[in-house]
Amino acid sequence: MEFKNGPELRKYLQERFELSLPKDVQLSKTKKHGIRVSLKSLKTDRVFGLPGFMVYSKKTGLNFYFFQLFGSLAKKNVIALDEKDAKLYASGLHVKKKLSIDKGLVILAHKGHILGHGIYDGKGSISCPLRQKRRREITNSILPWPGRNI
Amino acid sequence: MEEKEFRDWLSAYTDADLFISTILHQRPSFRVNTLKISNETFDAVSNLECKKCAWYADARIFEGKAQLGNTFEYFLGYIHPQSLSSMLPPLALAPEEGDYVLDICASPGSKTTQLAALMKNTGTLIANDLPEREIALIPNIARLGVINVICTNKDAKNYPLKNEFKKVLVDAPCTALGSSLNASKRFSVEMARKMGEIQKRIIANAYDALAENGVLVYSTCTVAEEECEGVISWLLENRQSAKVEEITLNVPHERGLAEYGSEVAKTWRVYPQHLGSEGFYLARIKKVV
């Protein structure tokens, strides 16, 4: 899956997840640092640098922190994981789960907390895109996010 | 310095035994990242054993045994491990929603991300540091969901923008004597003097980047006066419009060394024993035009 620019990624998010970003948030393409998410109103007239953080690059794919931040706005293809599977995901392992959806990206949640995104293979397995350094062997539990039914 | 020599040197400032024993037994702490979760919701979902901090609603003193990095709260970006005293400089700067702020020595980003939280992800926050130091900053910005930031790579000693920012944070590189006892082994007064010269160049550039009536907070995690009061005293001599302001936080501290005069005495020394945390020095300066 490749995205050439911000509008293309925005369109994909809408189609796949019915996810509309807040109006004051922009996705902008940079020459060497992929597509980045930032506030639209940043004062950029005299400062030259990298806005926000990288959401997508050809090399690293989509960034799971982006989904942690905005995933709660998605209206479809959000998959709830139990604690065991949430911990498997965080540790970088595949999660076995048969879903009645097309293969492709899914947003993963646990007790209403948005964990990030995964890649569903259409055959019962969700792979974890987390880079080695970002993986965690989680040792505790968390309580449900009040009023969030994902 | 050898341990005995360091104790003698430190005794000129504070109770050296208490300082050292507190550094050795610092209590772990973290900050609730209000860009991703409110304090109220955090308290409703988290089982982490921790105590609230009397002077900052977002701070928690961790009393559990788990590795904070291996908790759901960390993975989800709800918390950021950070010493209590390192939360003071952003609080002293007190940025507000919509502000235009420069963090001139931003990496690894604990204070940068705290500034963003205080600004509620609005306005513009410039996170500046050298390219080789940025590697620690970028993952924290993403994990904690900061989107009101622009990362730049200017040398803080030659920062190019003048009269630009409403608020500037200078968390200067220092000898780090307030953070770890290992730092004392490398330390010498000559090293503090050299560091002080670098810090003077940084604070001068940072001060010049301030807009009229802008506010700058200078901080270090050390106690050597050459890097603390000496730097502020030099700034006051070399920038006539610079005035030291009182820091109004309700936090235990000592005032700056009296021998530098009454203006510099408004600055703060926070020793490890004050908060059970790192030692810090803080000064709040206004550009009065």
Side-chain angles (χ1 to χ4, degrees):
Chain A
M1 190 180 316
E2 280 189 28
F3 304 101
K4 290 192 182 73
N5 50 42
E8 209 172 273
L9 175 55
R10 199 179 273 269
K11 188 174 166 225
Y12 171 80
L13 294 170
Q14 184 62 50
E15 286 174 0
R16 179 76 186 171
F17 300 111
E18 286 182 17
L19 192 167
S20 300
L21 292 173
K23 282 183 181 154
D24 56 348
V25 170
Q26 68 180 358
L27 297 174
S28 49
K29 175 93 168 67
T30 57
K31 269 187 185 168
K32 291 183 184 168
H33 300 274
I35 299 173
R36 304 181 72 86
V37 62
S38 66
L39 209 60
K40 205 178 276 180
S41 58
L42 284 178
K43 207 170 148 107
T44 54
D45 46 341
R46 289 179 24 95
V47 179
F48 302 100
L50 291 172
F53 64 88
M54 191 160 72
V55 175
Y56 169 82
S57 80
K58 221 171 170 178
K59 193 176 160 192
T60 59
L62 281 159
N63 182 340
F64 88 110
Y65 293 129
F66 171 75
F67 286 102
Q68 281 192 349
L69 194 58
F70 294 110
S72 64
L73 302 174
K75 295 194 181 82
K76 67 174 188 183
N77 290 334
V78 180
I79 308 301
L81 300 182
D82 62 17
E83 186 172 312
K84 184 173 149 264
D85 284 345
K87 287 179 174 175
L88 274 182
Y89 169 78
S91 71
L93 295 175
H94 290 205
V95 173
K96 299 284 173 206
K97 202 169 178 74
K98 194 81 182 157
L99 305 172
S100 52
I101 60 170
D102 296 340
K103 65 178 182 179
L105 288 197
V106 287
I107 292 174
L108 301 171
H110 169 56
K111 294 183 182 173
H113 304 277
I114 304 296
L115 299 166
H117 70 291
I119 304 152
Y120 183 58
D121 67 357
K123 297 174 196 163
S125 177
I126 303 169
S127 62
C128 174
L130 284 179
R131 292 162 62 197
Q132 189 79 34
K133 276 197 285 191
R134 307 283 165 248
R135 296 174 187 175
R136 287 285 179 273
E137 299 293 336
I138 292 178
T139 55
N140 71 335
S141 300
I142 196 159
L143 298 168
W145 185 291
R148 228 190 237 173
N149 300 315
I150 326 169
Chain B
M1 268 184 190
E2 293 298 319
E3 194 185 330
K4 186 180 177 316
E5 191 186 0
F6 179 65
R7 275 178 195 273
D8 291 346
W9 176 85
L10 189 57
S11 298
Y13 298 118
T14 187
D15 181 330
D17 290 337
L18 195 54
F19 182 105
I20 289 169
S21 68
T22 314
I23 284 193
L24 289 172
H25 301 100
Q26 282 182 62
R27 294 173 294 180
S29 53
F30 62 84
R31 179 169 54 80
V32 175
N33 176 29
T34 53
L35 297 179
K36 281 193 167 176
I37 190 166
S38 68
N39 272 295
E40 192 186 22
T41 306
F42 180 81
D43 292 337
V45 303
S46 176
N47 278 326
L48 291 178
E49 289 172 55
C50 55
K51 209 166 69 181
K52 288 191 179 179
C53 171
W55 46 267
Y56 185 26
D58 299 355
R60 302 286 188 282
I61 299 152
F62 184 54
E63 295 178 320
K65 290 196 168 66
Q67 289 281 327
L68 282 175
N70 286 338
T71 60
F72 269 115
E73 288 84 346
Y74 180 89
F75 181 77
L76 293 162
Y78 294 168
I79 63 169
H80 183 65
Q82 186 176 351
S83 80
L84 289 179
S85 35
S86 93
M87 297 179 201
L88 293 173
L91 290 177
L93 189 63
E96 295 169 349
E97 286 180 58
D99 270 354
Y100 187 25
V101 180
L102 168 65
D103 183 357
I104 201 166
C105 304
S107 196
S110 296
K111 296 176 195 73
T112 313
T113 53
Q114 188 187 352
L115 289 170
L118 292 167
M119 295 162 75
K120 299 187 177 163
N121 246 346
T122 67
T124 301
L125 171 59
I126 308 300
N128 180 73
D129 217 316
L130 296 171
E132 61 269 27
R133 289 177 52 82
E134 201 182 46
I135 195 159
L137 172 68
I138 286 170
N140 280 328
I141 284 176
R143 188 177 68 83
L144 300 178
V146 177
I147 59 169
N148 68 337
V149 70
I150 300 176
C151 293
T152 60
N153 294 141
K154 305 294 181 195
D155 182 350
K157 299 192 293 299
N158 294 300
Y159 197 76
L161 291 179
K162 308 292 175 207
N163 303 311
E164 181 80 5
F165 299 97
K166 190 174 175 190
K167 285 170 183 157
V168 175
L169 178 64
V170 184
D171 185 45
C174 68
T175 52
L177 295 173
S179 300
S180 121
L181 284 185
N182 285 336
S184 67
K185 292 173 188 159
R186 299 186 296 268
F187 177 74
S188 67
V189 174
E190 182 54 26
M191 187 180 167
R193 281 199 195 105
K194 280 185 184 161
M195 196 58 92
E197 292 310 309
I198 293 169
Q199 290 155 343
K200 286 171 188 169
R201 288 183 63 192
I202 293 174
I203 199 173
N205 273 275
Y207 184 80
D208 294 343
L210 264 187
E212 289 183 2
N213 296 311
V215 173
L216 176 152
V217 165
Y218 173 82
S219 63
T220 61
C221 59
T222 195
V223 292
E225 62 197 90
E226 293 84 353
E227 304 174 73
C228 302
E229 289 88 349
V231 174
I232 299 305
S233 180
W234 178 90
L235 182 75
L236 298 181
E237 281 167 24
N238 287 276
R239 298 291 187 274
Q240 300 304 314
S241 57
K243 307 286 176 218
V244 182
E245 290 198 320
E246 294 283 359
I247 297 165
T248 55
L249 304 172
N250 189 17
V251 176
H253 67 279
E254 283 182 22
R255 290 176 72 81
L257 298 175
E259 52 264 45
Y260 286 84
S262 58
E263 269 294 289
V264 179
K266 292 178 193 167
T267 65
W268 279 24
R269 288 185 158 245
V270 180
Y271 291 122
Q273 55 266 35
H274 283 125
L275 297 176
S277 179
E278 292 178 286
F280 253 77
Y281 174 78
L282 294 169
R284 182 178 155 102
I285 315 280
K286 187 164 184 176
K287 189 183 225 177
V288 181
V289 182

